[in-house]
Amino acid sequence: MLIGSGLHRSGAKREEILGAARALFLREGYADAGMEFVARAAGVSTATLYAYFPSKADLFKAIVMETIRDAAAPVREAARVRGDARARLTALALAYATFLSRPDARAMFRMVAAERRRFEDVADYLLQTARAELGGAAIAVIDDLRAAGELRTEKPSWAASQLMGMLDHPTLLLGLAAGDDLLPSRPLAEIVADAVETFMARYAA
């Protein structure tokens, strides 16, 4: 019982540190987020911080890997929605567009891109995870709809990239260019509806 309680507290403390560090890194950037500031923001000593994360690089990697995995969860859930092609594609596209419109998601992409030379493995992980978690969900839905006879495409991966590409520009690229907090001028539901209609015009059986 005592061992279990200790593990729970240890896990909770790690999450508290990651949360504080994530907010600091996204606000200040990697270079300006010193470990002393992280420890202060997390309410722990620097010794405790280093016990969980031996270096700032280790902390940075953990933040990126866990943030992108958790943030992609709604897209994975949307891929399980049932219905006809339009309903399923709309649910998936809306979850994807919502993810890319989040200020923390945009800031994460921006920070990883800025630190690519220093953390090439982290940047590659982010790209691979985005492909697997986000692109993979879209491919799975499109492949399923193709098997059901609702879509016509020989390359589900190409079709998925086209659908997602129609959403990247008004969401992620807008934020990266104009500011993490800036939202599209049109409602996301309207942007998604247009993208799905364009997609259906090309691929509907």
Side-chain angles (χ1 to χ4, degrees):
M1 185 69 172
L2 290 176
I3 293 176
S5 298
L7 290 174
H8 178 74
R9 287 196 300 272
S10 177
K13 180 57 67 178
R14 182 179 186 276
E15 291 305 311
E16 290 175 10
I17 293 171
L18 282 174
R22 183 184 299 112
L24 190 62
F25 277 25
L26 294 182
R27 185 175 68 249
E28 304 294 338
Y30 177 84
D32 293 330
M35 292 293 268
E36 296 82 4
F37 295 110
V38 172
R40 190 178 308 153
V44 299
S45 67
T46 53
T48 297
L49 175 59
Y50 280 111
Y52 282 91
F53 301 99
S55 70
K56 187 163 76 165
D58 292 322
L59 179 57
F60 177 70
K61 291 177 182 179
I63 289 171
V64 172
M65 293 177 180
E66 296 192 17
T67 298
I68 190 65
R69 186 172 61 242
D70 293 344
V75 179
R76 294 195 300 270
E77 287 298 316
R80 301 187 181 99
V81 169
R82 299 291 92 187
D84 62 13
R86 185 172 278 99
R88 295 187 65 186
L89 292 169
T90 297
L92 177 78
L94 185 58
Y96 179 70
T98 299
F99 165 66
L100 293 185
S101 298
R102 287 174 44 176
D104 60 338
R106 293 165 166 179
M108 182 63 66
F109 280 107
R110 187 195 308 281
M111 182 173 64
V112 172
E115 298 297 333
R116 180 172 183 83
R117 287 187 178 181
R118 195 190 327 238
F119 297 104
E120 186 173 353
D121 59 330
V122 176
D124 288 342
Y125 174 87
L126 178 62
L127 179 61
Q128 292 165 6
T129 302
R131 283 175 176 168
E133 297 282 356
L134 305 176
I139 291 170
V141 170
I142 291 170
D143 198 36
D144 194 29
L145 292 171
R146 181 183 67 164
E150 295 191 59
L151 297 179
R152 293 192 312 267
T153 174
E154 295 182 2
K155 294 284 188 178
S157 60
W158 292 3
S161 67
Q162 290 168 357
L163 175 61
M164 298 169 84
M166 287 189 282
L167 302 169
D168 289 340
H169 184 271
T171 54
L172 177 63
L173 294 182
L174 171 69
L176 294 179
D180 295 334
D181 294 315
L182 185 66
L183 294 177
S185 56
R186 293 193 298 156
L188 285 183
E190 185 177 316
I191 293 171
V192 165
D194 284 347
V196 170
E197 286 305 314
T198 301
F199 184 87
M200 292 292 290
R202 170 66 177 84
Y203 291 109

